[in-house]
Amino acid sequence: MTSFDTLLQEVRSKIAEIDTGSLDALLHDGKRPALIDVREPDEHAQGMIPGTVHIPRGFLEQRIERTVSDRTAPVVLYCAGGTRSAFAARSLAELGYTNVRSLAGGFTGWKRAGLAWEQPLVLKPDQEARYSRHTMLSEVGLAGQLKLLGSKVLCIGAGGLGSPSSMYLAAAGVGTIGMIDDDVVDASNLQRQILHATDRVGVAKVDSAETTLRGLNPDVKVDKHRTRITSDNAIALIKPYDVVIDGADNFATRYLVNDVALRLAKPVVHASIFRFEGQLTVFPAGGSPCYRCLYPQPPPAEDAPSCAEAGVLGVLPGVMGVLQATEAIKLLLGLGDTLAGRLLCYDAIKTRFRELKLRRDPKCPTCGDGVDRSSIPLIDYEQFCAGPARH
């Protein structure tokens, strides 16, 4: 019967190892291999080699392809002392990886050599359970979840669009959610504004929003701004946040948000709803296109009635708000392709999505050629949208 020591010797004879000095030289020469820590989470939390990806040994074969798709790419595995990483290197060789080495002496040897290491940011035990379906996605992982927890998103409005978008952002673990709304909960809101409840009729919407969001996820901080966003306060309100969710119900606010976001280089996830139809797009931090490229001039008031005047299907803002939250999370994590340059149109009656191309207007007054976006003037937007003298 083969002993463990014999088996380990046999494994080491068939794999390549690298010593700590050679690995350190590789890292300083810019020839960085994919560094994989195969220790258990509690071990990894005590320290790691900078630039490491943590994949516990029990998940290595299952997850390695998401981290290193090229089987010829250089990979260095390490554990505490070099034993588990040796067996892990053999497993990767069996999967077809041809340039895998195990760190001799492991992390213990690395620290004893006096080489640089760092304390990783980790989730608390309750957070590991809460966000486990995120962290198992290689596109998100632990680093992505920690980034979400450190992110700030501002919701313009705590109504139909702000309700589902903020709730899914809170559930996803976005650390700070700002809510701007000066209104109180009305019974007529409850058909679509799911942040609020019957027992909160008459309560300030930002207070109701905080109750719901904190109840959903106590990790989330809710910044309450019980005010209307105006040219006087918009810069101060928007500046601290990474992404803006535009759930405004009027054109004046949308133009204001567009102009301030361009001045501050903040991306805006815009949506609007009308009866049974919704529209969604992303205006990138650098503009091009921006809201004024989509609507160079505000429509006449009679052509743009509010929900109170025209009505709205209650579930419609839910669909559009969830899509807003999706685009915001993609922006925060740098995932995939956003809707920048595209307008997504949803017809609830026909259950049909259409996509239209948005084109940048080179003569746009806020993102066109030669415009100094940092100096975009903040005008009287109510007057601008009231017409008839428009400029």
Side-chain angles (χ1 to χ4, degrees):
M1 182 178 293
T2 302
S3 68
F4 176 77
D5 289 340
T6 302
L7 178 60
L8 179 58
Q9 290 178 4
E10 179 185 346
V11 169
R12 281 185 165 148
S13 70
K14 294 180 180 179
I15 65 156
E17 291 187 302
I18 184 172
D19 60 60
T20 55
S22 298
L23 176 58
D24 185 52
L26 276 179
L27 298 180
H28 282 90
D29 288 344
K31 301 176 182 178
R32 173 175 289 275
L35 271 174
I36 310 293
D37 180 355
V38 299
R39 295 174 298 163
E40 294 303 305
D42 60 324
E43 297 174 282
H44 176 74
Q46 301 306 309
M48 69 176 191
I49 301 173
T52 289
V53 175
H54 179 228
I55 308 179
R57 176 66 190 90
F59 294 97
L60 182 64
E61 293 84 356
Q62 178 183 347
R63 297 182 182 175
I64 186 61
E65 292 181 9
R66 305 174 192 171
T67 303
V68 185
S69 58
D70 181 1
R71 283 175 164 76
T72 65
V75 178
V76 173
L77 306 171
Y78 71 89
C79 60
T83 298
R84 284 171 288 175
S85 58
F87 284 97
R90 181 182 68 170
S91 292
L92 293 194
E94 292 172 350
L95 287 176
Y97 286 83
T98 60
N99 193 0
V100 180
R101 285 174 285 183
S102 169
L103 178 61
F107 185 64
T108 301
W110 181 269
K111 288 179 67 177
R112 285 176 178 169
L115 298 172
W117 61 280
E118 62 187 25
Q119 198 83 25
L121 295 173
V122 296
L123 297 174
K124 295 180 289 187
D126 62 316
Q127 292 175 323
E128 290 178 0
R130 178 181 290 272
Y131 305 119
S132 62
R133 300 306 188 270
H134 264 178
T135 55
M136 68 175 57
L137 295 171
S138 60
E139 296 86 351
V140 180
L142 175 61
Q145 188 59 56
L146 289 168
K147 189 171 185 178
L148 289 177
L149 286 164
S151 297
K152 298 182 177 183
V153 176
L154 178 64
C155 294
I156 310 292
L161 292 166
S163 288
S165 58
S166 64
M167 289 179 72
Y168 268 98
L169 291 171
V174 171
T176 301
I177 299 176
M179 305 295 300
I180 300 178
D181 204 304
D182 69 339
D183 204 358
V184 298
V185 179
D186 184 82
S188 66
N189 302 147
L190 303 179
Q191 162 251 18
R192 64 199 176 281
Q193 298 181 17
I194 58 174
L195 267 175
H196 314 302
T198 302
D199 61 356
R200 292 182 223 156
V201 170
V203 173
K205 285 187 177 180
V206 292
D207 292 333
S208 176
E210 180 183 39
T211 298
T212 298
L213 298 179
R214 292 278 298 159
L216 180 62
N217 188 349
D219 288 341
V220 176
K221 176 189 175 187
V222 180
D223 290 341
K224 298 183 294 182
H225 306 285
R226 190 178 179 185
T227 184
R228 292 186 67 83
I229 186 168
T230 67
S231 296
D232 294 329
N233 63 16
I235 291 177
L237 287 171
I238 291 176
K239 189 173 183 178
Y241 296 91
D242 303 306
V243 175
V244 178
I245 299 284
D246 179 9
D249 61 358
N250 64 87
F251 281 91
T253 300
R254 293 169 189 156
Y255 281 108
L256 169 62
V257 170
N258 174 80
D259 294 358
V260 174
L262 284 171
R263 280 184 57 157
L264 299 175
K266 304 287 185 179
V268 176
V269 184
H270 165 77
S272 60
I273 52 176
F274 176 70
R275 290 173 52 81
F276 300 97
E277 298 178 352
Q279 293 184 345
L280 177 78
T281 190
V282 170
F283 300 120
S288 304
C290 74
Y291 187 74
R292 288 180 182 268
C293 296
L294 176 61
Y295 291 107
Q297 296 288 340
E302 60 271 18
D303 292 340
S306 67
C307 291
E309 297 167 320
V312 62
L313 184 68
V315 296
L316 177 63
V319 175
M320 307 312 294
V322 167
L323 290 173
Q324 282 185 293
T326 304
E327 292 297 294
I329 290 170
K330 287 162 57 183
L331 285 166
L332 294 171
L333 297 180
L335 289 179
D337 298 323
T338 71
L339 279 169
R342 297 179 290 152
L343 182 68
L344 189 67
C345 303
Y346 174 58
D347 185 333
I349 292 293
K350 298 178 180 178
T351 316
R352 180 179 298 167
F353 285 94
R354 292 185 302 132
E355 185 179 297
L356 305 176
K357 185 174 181 60
L358 288 185
R359 301 187 183 277
R360 172 180 176 269
D361 180 1
K363 297 181 179 180
C364 175
T366 50
C367 80
D369 295 342
V371 174
D372 180 3
R373 295 171 187 170
S374 65
S375 300
I376 295 171
L378 303 185
I379 61 175
D380 184 333
Y381 293 90
E382 295 288 347
Q383 182 182 12
F384 172 67
C385 292
R390 290 174 178 157
H391 47 278

